[in-house]
Amino acid sequence: MRPVLVAVPAVGLLLGFLASLSGFKAWPEWIWAAATVPVLAALLIEIVASLRRGDVGLDIVAALSMSGALALGENLAAVVVALMYAGGQYLESYAERRANREMTALLSRVPHTAMRYTDDRLEEIALDAVYPGDRLLVRRGEIVPVDGSVASGVAVLDQSALTGEAIPVQLQAGETVMSGSTNAGDAFDLSASRRAGESTYAGIIRLVEAAQRSKAPMARLADRFALVFLAVTVLLAGGAWLATGDPVRALAVLVIATPCPLILAVPVAIVSGVSRAAKAGILVKGGKALEAMARVRSLVIDKTGTLTYGQAHVTGVHPVAMTGEELLALAASLDQASKHVIAQALVREARQRGLDLAVPTAVVESPGEGLEGIVKGRFVVVGGPRFVAQRVPEVKAALHDGPRQAGSVRVAIAVDGRFAGSLTLADELRAGTARLLDDLRALGIERFVLATGDRREVAEAVTAGLPFDVIHAELTPDRKIAVVAAERPQGPVMMIGDGVNDAPALAAADLGVAMGAKGAAASAEAADVVLLVDRLDRIVSGVSIARRSRDIALQSVYAGIGLSFLGMIVAAFGYLTPIEGALIQEGIDVAVILNALRALRGGAEA
């Protein structure tokens, strides 16, 4: 419809000039008037619908200027206003479509079928028919349909649509694969872990759709300003008319105020910022969240899975009578038979180090305590110090006086009846955390507060040397809400978390940010912003983008309104004709929209 409304006054303007050049002097005015009417009629319908919703906008100024021009016989000015108004609306919709490009690309990539192995053959099935445990074939160039793990071979995946990372990642057998990634290498088998509706990509799509339905609070603020601007415009136009008795001056004032950049620049800049953030792997649920991110002054952050990686890593290898690699290889080989999180951490560490793991035999597991079995002909026992000491007494004495890191876990290993060494595991602080906090402080965040359910000694050990103002430990979900509430007098509060226990605090904060790559679904649903990649430093990019987008929106508004008022005053004193005012105002509108589109570029670091 918008292209038609642009085409009608454009064609009418051209035909009017052609008629004038051809000697048909009476025709141009009628042609220009006829070309204005469809745009004015569509505008009046929109105004009536807006008034029924209780919205008063500056479209009324456009309607008054077109109606006044037709009533005063200024048909050329009327058709120019109609063309520029329709063109401005079309340019705004084009800008929003361009700004939404990255998010709509996510929607267009949704797969609808999957290739499943059934009785030693492949069949193409609907995506809804995939269940956890199904073995799927993901061919080169295809989108991974559901969350799962690499069942065999090596997967080379392009995750740029999800994380913003341009370089493909290489995943080995057993490693987790996010739905929505593109297979950039050879075909591989995927073991499904979730149904399609529960997978990462489906959740992202739901969040994107919610973001697209959101309207920026600055846009609503602009709507409220519209009433004031409308009143000032009408008073200035009426004053010029009363002072001079010339209705054309009033018309010139109305024309140059049509339409106001206030209602064009803000939504374009905000939507551009949301799009720019999505491209960087930061899903912002609409303009309200983006503006809140631009204003935050206090940061409340969870520890496990947020400030730390959220899973155990080997932080120390302490061998006795063998090398560290031999010790880790023996322990990890046996732990392949266990699903315990510590066992899986040892296996993951050994594979990351490229160690050759043997197949264990005669494995006996004591759930939650340890395992024993045969690895390469040697009898190996792996588990907690007490479990291993029950079989090899010397373990207790060897580990009794050893150093112990707060929050760490000690794993003992015995080989052929003798103590072989130990491994230390801990949930490590994310790399670059100190720099991240410094960068956030440089962006205007003044307070840093740790809120964790973990023990105080663990929290203090993890955050040693970091610039936290307050550390709250051993918190329940409701006490995390209280921490957020206590920080609010300092300014808008941003809460970052990843677990189900963080969801209430995320919802209570002015801005809730969830670690969406590995976090709980509840936290992602409660949050205003979701980090699609497991990198906490992306929040710096998000805050930078939000502040830049808000600044650009305000720049456009102030510049546009200032120029419009200046033009209105000049017109009121009779120095601008209605046609000149229309051309100047639409030039202002185009300029502020183009300025707002700058929010699509810059403001983030990879």
Side-chain angles (χ1 to χ4, degrees), residues 531-599:
L531 303 184
L532 303 180
V533 58
D534 191 34
R535 282 179 52 181
L536 186 59
D537 61 353
R538 286 301 171 91
I539 195 63
V540 176
S541 298
V543 173
S544 178
I545 289 169
R547 290 184 183 274
R548 185 170 185 270
S549 299
R550 186 171 183 268
D551 288 345
I552 288 173
L554 292 175
Q555 289 168 11
S556 297
V557 167
Y558 295 149
I561 290 180
L563 291 172
S564 294
F565 272 120
L566 180 62
M568 290 162 61
I569 292 171
V570 172
F573 280 97
Y575 294 107
L576 286 176
T577 65
I579 185 63
E580 291 170 343
L583 294 174
I584 290 173
Q585 177 56 58
E586 299 314 322
I588 294 172
D589 292 336
V590 171
V592 296
I593 290 175
L594 293 177
N595 181 65
L597 283 173
R598 291 192 298 116

Side-chain angles (χ1 to χ4, degrees), residues 145-443:
V146 297
D147 289 348
S149 58
V150 180
S152 63
V154 177
V156 180
L157 299 174
D158 176 2
Q159 297 180 331
S160 59
L162 301 176
T163 67
E165 294 285 357
I167 301 174
V169 298
Q170 184 171 301
L171 302 179
Q172 305 293 328
E175 292 191 285
T176 301
V177 178
M178 287 191 298
S179 57
S181 305
T182 302
N183 183 10
D186 295 331
F188 69 95
D189 290 349
L190 177 78
S191 177
S193 61
R194 293 180 181 177
R195 299 202 64 185
E198 302 167 349
S199 289
T200 301
Y201 199 58
I204 291 172
I205 295 302
R206 288 193 294 271
L207 294 175
V208 168
E209 290 172 339
Q212 290 177 323
R213 290 192 297 268
S214 175
K215 184 181 181 183
M218 285 186 67
R220 291 194 291 270
L221 185 64
D223 291 341
R224 292 196 295 271
F225 274 141
L227 185 60
V228 176
F229 190 86
L230 173 62
V232 172
T233 300
V234 172
L235 286 174
L236 191 57
W241 189 353
L242 290 174
T244 64
D246 184 4
V248 176
R249 287 200 186 186
L251 176 61
V253 172
L254 291 174
V255 164
I256 202 167
T258 311
C260 177
L262 187 67
I263 58 174
L264 295 177
V266 172
V268 173
I270 293 298
V271 173
S272 297
V274 171
S275 174
R276 181 73 182 93
K279 191 174 182 180
I282 308 158
L283 183 62
V284 182
K285 298 182 184 179
K288 178 180 179 181
L290 192 78
E291 190 190 4
M293 188 182 292
R295 297 184 298 108
V296 291
R297 288 294 179 267
S298 296
L299 168 65
V300 178
I301 188 168
D302 175 50
K303 181 183 74 68
T304 305
T306 306
L307 201 63
T308 64
Y309 289 102
Q311 60 183 13
H313 293 266
V314 175
T315 58
V317 181
H318 315 286
V320 174
M322 66 174 61
T323 67
E325 289 193 348
E326 290 175 327
L327 181 69
L328 180 58
L330 287 172
S333 294
L334 181 61
D335 274 343
Q336 291 178 107
S338 174
K339 289 188 175 182
H340 191 277
V341 291
I342 299 298
Q344 293 301 306
L346 293 184
V347 173
R348 183 172 58 250
E349 180 73 19
R351 285 176 173 164
Q352 288 175 350
R353 297 190 183 195
L355 302 182
D356 185 23
L357 302 185
V359 178
T361 59
V363 178
V364 178
E365 180 173 8
S366 298
E369 296 187 46
L371 301 90
E372 50 190 312
I374 305 299
V375 178
K376 294 182 178 180
R378 309 181 73 177
F379 181 66
V380 180
V381 182
V382 179
R386 186 177 62 177
F387 172 79
V388 180
Q390 290 172 352
R391 289 146 181 83
V392 182
E394 64 179 288
V395 169
K396 184 175 182 180
L399 296 180
H400 180 70
D401 297 325
R404 183 68 182 273
Q405 176 186 349
S408 65
V409 174
R410 184 73 64 85
V411 175
I413 301 101
V415 178
D416 294 333
R418 297 190 63 83
F419 176 56
S422 66
L423 303 169
T424 304
L425 295 93
D427 184 9
E428 293 183 302
L429 188 71
R430 291 178 183 269
T433 300
R435 178 183 175 186
L436 177 144
L437 296 178
D438 289 341
D439 290 343
L440 289 176
R441 194 178 295 279
L443 287 171

Side-chain angles (χ1 to χ4, degrees), residues 298 481-493 505 507-511:
S298 296
I481 295 176
V483 169
V484 169
E487 289 300 314
R488 188 161 283 123
Q490 311 296 330
V493 181
D510 297 288
L511 182 79

